[in-house]
PDB file of all heavy atoms in Angstrom:
ATOM      1  N   HIS A   1      83.035  84.952  90.200  1.00  0.00           N
ATOM      2  CA  HIS A   1      84.149  84.633  91.097  1.00  0.00           C
ATOM      3  C   HIS A   1      85.293  83.959  90.333  1.00  0.00           C
ATOM      4  O   HIS A   1      86.468  84.120  90.691  1.00  0.00           O
ATOM      5  CB  HIS A   1      83.663  83.743  92.240  1.00  0.00           C
ATOM      6  CG  HIS A   1      82.984  84.484  93.345  1.00  0.00           C
ATOM      7  ND1 HIS A   1      83.662  85.311  94.207  1.00  0.00           N
ATOM      8  CD2 HIS A   1      81.673  84.543  93.717  1.00  0.00           C
ATOM      9  CE1 HIS A   1      82.804  85.845  95.081  1.00  0.00           C
ATOM     10  NE2 HIS A   1      81.593  85.386  94.801  1.00  0.00           N
ATOM     11  N   LEU A   2      84.944  83.213  89.302  1.00  0.00           N
ATOM     12  CA  LEU A   2      85.974  82.583  88.474  1.00  0.00           C
ATOM     13  C   LEU A   2      86.830  83.653  87.783  1.00  0.00           C
ATOM     14  O   LEU A   2      88.066  83.587  87.776  1.00  0.00           O
ATOM     15  CB  LEU A   2      85.298  81.687  87.423  1.00  0.00           C
ATOM     16  CG  LEU A   2      86.188  80.703  86.657  1.00  0.00           C
ATOM     17  CD1 LEU A   2      86.723  79.624  87.581  1.00  0.00           C
ATOM     18  CD2 LEU A   2      85.400  80.060  85.523  1.00  0.00           C
ATOM     19  N   PHE A   3      86.178  84.658  87.219  1.00  0.00           N
ATOM     20  CA  PHE A   3      86.895  85.770  86.582  1.00  0.00           C
ATOM     21  C   PHE A   3      87.725  86.541  87.618  1.00  0.00           C
ATOM     22  O   PHE A   3      88.858  86.962  87.341  1.00  0.00           O
ATOM     23  CB  PHE A   3      85.919  86.711  85.879  1.00  0.00           C
ATOM     24  CG  PHE A   3      85.457  86.204  84.547  1.00  0.00           C
ATOM     25  CD1 PHE A   3      84.132  85.836  84.339  1.00  0.00           C
ATOM     26  CD2 PHE A   3      86.345  86.103  83.490  1.00  0.00           C
ATOM     27  CE1 PHE A   3      83.705  85.374  83.102  1.00  0.00           C
ATOM     28  CE2 PHE A   3      85.926  85.643  82.247  1.00  0.00           C
ATOM     29  CZ  PHE A   3      84.604  85.275  82.046  1.00  0.00           C
ATOM     30  N   ALA A   4      87.136  86.737  88.795  1.00  0.00           N
ATOM     31  CA  ALA A   4      87.872  87.445  89.847  1.00  0.00           C
ATOM     32  C   ALA A   4      89.136  86.684  90.231  1.00  0.00           C
ATOM     33  O   ALA A   4      90.192  87.282  90.475  1.00  0.00           O
ATOM     34  CB  ALA A   4      86.977  87.641  91.073  1.00  0.00           C
ATOM     35  N   GLY A   5      89.030  85.358  90.277  1.00  0.00           N
ATOM     36  CA  GLY A   5      90.180  84.532  90.618  1.00  0.00           C
ATOM     37  C   GLY A   5      91.292  84.618  89.589  1.00  0.00           C
ATOM     38  O   GLY A   5      92.478  84.462  89.920  1.00  0.00           O
ATOM     39  N   ALA A   6      90.911  84.871  88.355  1.00  0.00           N
ATOM     40  CA  ALA A   6      91.910  84.977  87.289  1.00  0.00           C
ATOM     41  C   ALA A   6      92.513  86.374  87.207  1.00  0.00           C
ATOM     42  O   ALA A   6      93.704  86.533  86.924  1.00  0.00           O
ATOM     43  CB  ALA A   6      91.279  84.597  85.949  1.00  0.00           C
ATOM     44  N   ARG A   7      91.712  87.410  87.455  1.00  0.00           N
ATOM     45  CA  ARG A   7      92.160  88.779  87.189  1.00  0.00           C
ATOM     46  C   ARG A   7      92.192  89.687  88.421  1.00  0.00           C
ATOM     47  O   ARG A   7      92.592  90.850  88.310  1.00  0.00           O
ATOM     48  CB  ARG A   7      91.261  89.415  86.121  1.00  0.00           C
ATOM     49  CG  ARG A   7      91.296  88.702  84.770  1.00  0.00           C
ATOM     50  CD  ARG A   7      92.690  88.649  84.174  1.00  0.00           C
ATOM     51  NE  ARG A   7      93.223  89.964  83.935  1.00  0.00           N
ATOM     52  CZ  ARG A   7      93.067  90.637  82.783  1.00  0.00           C
ATOM     53  NH1 ARG A   7      92.406  90.093  81.780  1.00  0.00           N
ATOM     54  NH2 ARG A   7      93.590  91.845  82.645  1.00  0.00           N
ATOM     55  N   SER A   8      91.772  89.193  89.564  1.00  0.00           N
ATOM     56  CA  SER A   8      91.816  89.985  90.813  1.00  0.00           C
ATOM     57  C   SER A   8      91.110  91.329  90.668  1.00  0.00           C
ATOM     58  O   SER A   8      91.494  92.313  91.312  1.00  0.00           O
ATOM     59  CB  SER A   8      93.269  90.227  91.252  1.00  0.00           C
ATOM     60  OG  SER A   8      93.998  89.036  91.301  1.00  0.00           O
ATOM     61  N   PHE A   9      90.097  91.397  89.817  1.00  0.00           N
ATOM     62  CA  PHE A   9      89.517  92.708  89.508  1.00  0.00           C
ATOM     63  C   PHE A   9      88.793  93.332  90.700  1.00  0.00           C
ATOM     64  O   PHE A   9      88.703  94.552  90.807  1.00  0.00           O
ATOM     65  CB  PHE A   9      88.596  92.647  88.286  1.00  0.00           C
ATOM     66  CG  PHE A   9      87.317  91.891  88.482  1.00  0.00           C
ATOM     67  CD1 PHE A   9      86.236  92.475  89.099  1.00  0.00           C
ATOM     68  CD2 PHE A   9      87.185  90.582  88.029  1.00  0.00           C
ATOM     69  CE1 PHE A   9      85.051  91.784  89.279  1.00  0.00           C
ATOM     70  CE2 PHE A   9      86.003  89.882  88.204  1.00  0.00           C
ATOM     71  CZ  PHE A   9      84.938  90.477  88.837  1.00  0.00           C
ATOM     72  N   THR A  10      88.285  92.510  91.630  1.00  0.00           N
ATOM     73  CA  THR A  10      87.601  93.098  92.795  1.00  0.00           C
ATOM     74  C   THR A  10      88.577  93.934  93.618  1.00  0.00           C
ATOM     75  O   THR A  10      88.243  95.029  94.087  1.00  0.00           O
ATOM     76  CB  THR A  10      86.987  92.001  93.674  1.00  0.00           C
ATOM     77  OG1 THR A  10      87.988  91.000  93.951  1.00  0.00           O
ATOM     78  CG2 THR A  10      85.813  91.334  92.977  1.00  0.00           C
ATOM     79  N   ASN A  11      89.786  93.420  93.779  1.00  0.00           N
ATOM     80  CA  ASN A  11      90.788  94.173  94.544  1.00  0.00           C
ATOM     81  C   ASN A  11      91.338  95.352  93.750  1.00  0.00           C
ATOM     82  O   ASN A  11      91.653  96.405  94.320  1.00  0.00           O
ATOM     83  CB  ASN A  11      91.933  93.245  94.962  1.00  0.00           C
ATOM     84  CG  ASN A  11      91.509  92.326  96.091  1.00  0.00           C
ATOM     85  OD1 ASN A  11      90.387  92.417  96.583  1.00  0.00           O
ATOM     86  ND2 ASN A  11      92.389  91.438  96.499  1.00  0.00           N
ATOM     87  N   ALA A  12      91.459  95.166  92.439  1.00  0.00           N
ATOM     88  CA  ALA A  12      91.930  96.265  91.602  1.00  0.00           C
ATOM     89  C   ALA A  12      90.952  97.437  91.652  1.00  0.00           C
ATOM     90  O   ALA A  12      91.361  98.611  91.694  1.00  0.00           O
ATOM     91  CB  ALA A  12      92.121  95.780  90.162  1.00  0.00           C
ATOM     92  N   VAL A  13      89.666  97.129  91.664  1.00  0.00           N
ATOM     93  CA  VAL A  13      88.636  98.165  91.780  1.00  0.00           C
ATOM     94  C   VAL A  13      88.786  98.916  93.104  1.00  0.00           C
ATOM     95  O   VAL A  13      88.790 100.154  93.156  1.00  0.00           O
ATOM     96  CB  VAL A  13      87.218  97.554  91.656  1.00  0.00           C
ATOM     97  CG1 VAL A  13      86.158  98.572  92.060  1.00  0.00           C
ATOM     98  CG2 VAL A  13      86.969  97.059  90.242  1.00  0.00           C
ATOM     99  N   TRP A  14      88.899  98.159  94.201  1.00  0.00           N
ATOM    100  CA  TRP A  14      89.034  98.773  95.520  1.00  0.00           C
ATOM    101  C   TRP A  14      90.302  99.621  95.602  1.00  0.00           C
ATOM    102  O   TRP A  14      90.293 100.740  96.118  1.00  0.00           O
ATOM    103  CB  TRP A  14      89.072  97.685  96.587  1.00  0.00           C
ATOM    104  CG  TRP A  14      89.224  98.223  97.979  1.00  0.00           C
ATOM    105  CD1 TRP A  14      90.381  98.446  98.662  1.00  0.00           C
ATOM    106  CD2 TRP A  14      88.173  98.633  98.848  1.00  0.00           C
ATOM    107  NE1 TRP A  14      90.135  98.958  99.898  1.00  0.00           N
ATOM    108  CE2 TRP A  14      88.775  99.086 100.045  1.00  0.00           C
ATOM    109  CE3 TRP A  14      86.784  98.658  98.740  1.00  0.00           C
ATOM    110  CZ2 TRP A  14      88.029  99.558 101.118  1.00  0.00           C
ATOM    111  CZ3 TRP A  14      86.054  99.135  99.816  1.00  0.00           C
ATOM    112  CH2 TRP A  14      86.664  99.573 100.981  1.00  0.00           C
ATOM    113  N   ASN A  15      91.410  99.090  95.072  1.00  0.00           N
ATOM    114  CA  ASN A  15      92.692  99.772  95.128  1.00  0.00           C
ATOM    115  C   ASN A  15      92.632 101.144  94.440  1.00  0.00           C
ATOM    116  O   ASN A  15      93.160 102.132  94.951  1.00  0.00           O
ATOM    117  CB  ASN A  15      93.735  98.885  94.443  1.00  0.00           C
ATOM    118  CG  ASN A  15      95.159  99.280  94.761  1.00  0.00           C
ATOM    119  OD1 ASN A  15      96.063  99.015  93.982  1.00  0.00           O
ATOM    120  ND2 ASN A  15      95.405  99.904  95.895  1.00  0.00           N
ATOM    121  N   LEU A  16      91.930 101.183  93.298  1.00  0.00           N
ATOM    122  CA  LEU A  16      91.843 102.436  92.551  1.00  0.00           C
ATOM    123  C   LEU A  16      90.738 103.347  93.095  1.00  0.00           C
ATOM    124  O   LEU A  16      90.954 104.545  93.327  1.00  0.00           O
ATOM    125  CB  LEU A  16      91.601 102.136  91.071  1.00  0.00           C
ATOM    126  CG  LEU A  16      91.466 103.345  90.142  1.00  0.00           C
ATOM    127  CD1 LEU A  16      92.721 104.230  90.197  1.00  0.00           C
ATOM    128  CD2 LEU A  16      91.185 102.896  88.711  1.00  0.00           C
ATOM    129  N   LYS A  17      89.576 102.785  93.318  1.00  0.00           N
ATOM    130  CA  LYS A  17      88.408 103.587  93.680  1.00  0.00           C
ATOM    131  C   LYS A  17      88.469 104.123  95.110  1.00  0.00           C
ATOM    132  O   LYS A  17      88.142 105.296  95.368  1.00  0.00           O
ATOM    133  CB  LYS A  17      87.138 102.753  93.481  1.00  0.00           C
ATOM    134  CG  LYS A  17      85.849 103.527  93.648  1.00  0.00           C
ATOM    135  CD  LYS A  17      84.650 102.638  93.335  1.00  0.00           C
ATOM    136  CE  LYS A  17      83.339 103.378  93.517  1.00  0.00           C
ATOM    137  NZ  LYS A  17      82.165 102.532  93.225  1.00  0.00           N
ATOM    138  N   LYS A  18      88.897 103.286  96.047  1.00  0.00           N
ATOM    139  CA  LYS A  18      88.880 103.682  97.458  1.00  0.00           C
ATOM    140  C   LYS A  18      90.233 104.187  97.942  1.00  0.00           C
ATOM    141  O   LYS A  18      90.302 105.080  98.790  1.00  0.00           O
ATOM    142  CB  LYS A  18      88.418 102.504  98.326  1.00  0.00           C
ATOM    143  CG  LYS A  18      86.982 102.074  98.071  1.00  0.00           C
ATOM    144  CD  LYS A  18      85.998 103.171  98.463  1.00  0.00           C
ATOM    145  CE  LYS A  18      84.556 102.740  98.267  1.00  0.00           C
ATOM    146  NZ  LYS A  18      83.600 103.816  98.615  1.00  0.00           N
ATOM    147  N   GLU A  19      91.326 103.604  97.406  1.00  0.00           N
ATOM    148  CA  GLU A  19      92.651 104.000  97.869  1.00  0.00           C
ATOM    149  C   GLU A  19      93.338 104.958  96.893  1.00  0.00           C
ATOM    150  O   GLU A  19      94.409 105.482  97.187  1.00  0.00           O
ATOM    151  CB  GLU A  19      93.502 102.745  98.088  1.00  0.00           C
ATOM    152  CG  GLU A  19      92.930 101.826  99.163  1.00  0.00           C
ATOM    153  CD  GLU A  19      93.681 100.501  99.274  1.00  0.00           C
ATOM    154  OE1 GLU A  19      94.470 100.195  98.372  1.00  0.00           O
ATOM    155  OE2 GLU A  19      93.479  99.802 100.279  1.00  0.00           O
ATOM    156  N   HIS A  20      92.710 105.141  95.720  1.00  0.00           N
ATOM    157  CA  HIS A  20      93.208 106.079  94.705  1.00  0.00           C
ATOM    158  C   HIS A  20      94.646 105.763  94.272  1.00  0.00           C
ATOM    159  O   HIS A  20      95.459 106.659  94.069  1.00  0.00           O
ATOM    160  CB  HIS A  20      93.113 107.532  95.218  1.00  0.00           C
ATOM    161  CG  HIS A  20      91.733 107.898  95.677  1.00  0.00           C
ATOM    162  ND1 HIS A  20      90.671 108.060  94.804  1.00  0.00           N
ATOM    163  CD2 HIS A  20      91.234 108.093  96.929  1.00  0.00           C
ATOM    164  CE1 HIS A  20      89.588 108.353  95.491  1.00  0.00           C
ATOM    165  NE2 HIS A  20      89.892 108.369  96.783  1.00  0.00           N
ATOM    166  N   VAL A  21      94.920 104.455  94.148  1.00  0.00           N
ATOM    167  CA  VAL A  21      96.253 103.996  93.739  1.00  0.00           C
ATOM    168  C   VAL A  21      96.181 103.398  92.350  1.00  0.00           C
ATOM    169  O   VAL A  21      95.377 102.501  92.092  1.00  0.00           O
ATOM    170  CB  VAL A  21      96.814 102.947  94.735  1.00  0.00           C
ATOM    171  CG1 VAL A  21      98.168 102.416  94.236  1.00  0.00           C
ATOM    172  CG2 VAL A  21      96.949 103.556  96.124  1.00  0.00           C
ATOM    173  N   TRP A  22      97.024 103.915  91.456  1.00  0.00           N
ATOM    174  CA  TRP A  22      97.095 103.393  90.080  1.00  0.00           C
ATOM    175  C   TRP A  22      98.265 102.407  90.039  1.00  0.00           C
ATOM    176  O   TRP A  22      99.421 102.799  89.918  1.00  0.00           O
ATOM    177  CB  TRP A  22      97.320 104.556  89.118  1.00  0.00           C
ATOM    178  CG  TRP A  22      97.273 104.173  87.661  1.00  0.00           C
ATOM    179  CD1 TRP A  22      98.281 103.664  86.922  1.00  0.00           C
ATOM    180  CD2 TRP A  22      96.154 104.269  86.780  1.00  0.00           C
ATOM    181  NE1 TRP A  22      97.893 103.411  85.637  1.00  0.00           N
ATOM    182  CE2 TRP A  22      96.563 103.796  85.516  1.00  0.00           C
ATOM    183  CE3 TRP A  22      94.836 104.713  86.946  1.00  0.00           C
ATOM    184  CZ2 TRP A  22      95.719 103.756  84.415  1.00  0.00           C
ATOM    185  CZ3 TRP A  22      94.000 104.671  85.845  1.00  0.00           C
ATOM    186  CH2 TRP A  22      94.432 104.198  84.607  1.00  0.00           C
ATOM    187  N   ASN A  23      97.935 101.091  90.165  1.00  0.00           N
ATOM    188  CA  ASN A  23      98.997 100.095  90.319  1.00  0.00           C
ATOM    189  C   ASN A  23      98.754  98.926  89.372  1.00  0.00           C
ATOM    190  O   ASN A  23      98.259  97.881  89.769  1.00  0.00           O
ATOM    191  CB  ASN A  23      99.042  99.612  91.773  1.00  0.00           C
ATOM    192  CG  ASN A  23     100.304  98.822  92.080  1.00  0.00           C
ATOM    193  OD1 ASN A  23     101.032  98.414  91.171  1.00  0.00           O
ATOM    194  ND2 ASN A  23     100.558  98.605  93.364  1.00  0.00           N
ATOM    195  N   ARG A  24      99.090  99.114  88.122  1.00  0.00           N
ATOM    196  CA  ARG A  24      98.840  98.072  87.115  1.00  0.00           C
ATOM    197  C   ARG A  24      99.688  96.825  87.377  1.00  0.00           C
ATOM    198  O   ARG A  24      99.218  95.699  87.164  1.00  0.00           O
ATOM    199  CB  ARG A  24      99.128  98.617  85.729  1.00  0.00           C
ATOM    200  CG  ARG A  24      98.216  99.772  85.311  1.00  0.00           C
ATOM    201  CD  ARG A  24      98.631 100.313  83.958  1.00  0.00           C
ATOM    202  NE  ARG A  24      98.455  99.324  82.923  1.00  0.00           N
ATOM    203  CZ  ARG A  24      98.994  99.418  81.696  1.00  0.00           C
ATOM    204  NH1 ARG A  24      99.749 100.466  81.393  1.00  0.00           N
ATOM    205  NH2 ARG A  24      98.786  98.486  80.811  1.00  0.00           N
ATOM    206  N   GLU A  25     100.908  97.005  87.812  1.00  0.00           N
ATOM    207  CA  GLU A  25     101.824  95.873  87.960  1.00  0.00           C
ATOM    208  C   GLU A  25     101.352  94.883  89.033  1.00  0.00           C
ATOM    209  O   GLU A  25     101.546  93.676  88.918  1.00  0.00           O
ATOM    210  CB  GLU A  25     103.234  96.376  88.318  1.00  0.00           C
ATOM    211  CG  GLU A  25     103.925  97.157  87.223  1.00  0.00           C
ATOM    212  CD  GLU A  25     103.407  98.581  87.108  1.00  0.00           C
ATOM    213  OE1 GLU A  25     102.697  99.039  88.044  1.00  0.00           O
ATOM    214  OE2 GLU A  25     103.675  99.229  86.075  1.00  0.00           O
ATOM    215  N   LYS A  26     100.723  95.423  90.075  1.00  0.00           N
ATOM    216  CA  LYS A  26     100.318  94.557  91.189  1.00  0.00           C
ATOM    217  C   LYS A  26      99.247  93.554  90.776  1.00  0.00           C
ATOM    218  O   LYS A  26      99.196  92.434  91.285  1.00  0.00           O
ATOM    219  CB  LYS A  26      99.802  95.419  92.347  1.00  0.00           C
ATOM    220  CG  LYS A  26      99.435  94.605  93.583  1.00  0.00           C
ATOM    221  CD  LYS A  26      99.024  95.512  94.727  1.00  0.00           C
ATOM    222  CE  LYS A  26      98.711  94.675  95.971  1.00  0.00           C
ATOM    223  NZ  LYS A  26      98.327  95.523  97.109  1.00  0.00           N
ATOM    224  N   TRP A  27      98.401  93.958  89.842  1.00  0.00           N
ATOM    225  CA  TRP A  27      97.243  93.129  89.505  1.00  0.00           C
ATOM    226  C   TRP A  27      97.470  92.367  88.199  1.00  0.00           C
ATOM    227  O   TRP A  27      96.699  92.429  87.273  1.00  0.00           O
ATOM    228  CB  TRP A  27      95.982  93.999  89.432  1.00  0.00           C
ATOM    229  CG  TRP A  27      95.798  94.824  90.666  1.00  0.00           C
ATOM    230  CD1 TRP A  27      95.794  96.164  90.759  1.00  0.00           C
ATOM    231  CD2 TRP A  27      95.635  94.322  91.995  1.00  0.00           C
ATOM    232  NE1 TRP A  27      95.634  96.572  92.055  1.00  0.00           N
ATOM    233  CE2 TRP A  27      95.537  95.445  92.844  1.00  0.00           C
ATOM    234  CE3 TRP A  27      95.579  93.045  92.562  1.00  0.00           C
ATOM    235  CZ2 TRP A  27      95.368  95.340  94.222  1.00  0.00           C
ATOM    236  CZ3 TRP A  27      95.408  92.943  93.931  1.00  0.00           C
ATOM    237  CH2 TRP A  27      95.307  94.069  94.740  1.00  0.00           C
ATOM    238  N   LEU A  28      98.585  91.636  88.168  1.00  0.00           N
ATOM    239  CA  LEU A  28      98.896  90.789  87.019  1.00  0.00           C
ATOM    240  C   LEU A  28      98.039  89.530  87.087  1.00  0.00           C
ATOM    241  O   LEU A  28      98.098  88.771  88.064  1.00  0.00           O
ATOM    242  CB  LEU A  28     100.379  90.416  87.028  1.00  0.00           C
ATOM    243  CG  LEU A  28     100.883  89.614  85.825  1.00  0.00           C
ATOM    244  CD1 LEU A  28     100.794  90.456  84.550  1.00  0.00           C
ATOM    245  CD2 LEU A  28     102.325  89.141  86.062  1.00  0.00           C
TER     246      LEU A  28
END
């Protein structure tokens, strides 16, 4: 959860895998 808080990777995974959106800028 600490890593997730720093990099938002859980949402980045969902955004790409489920919504099929390639959005690098959003997950700074």
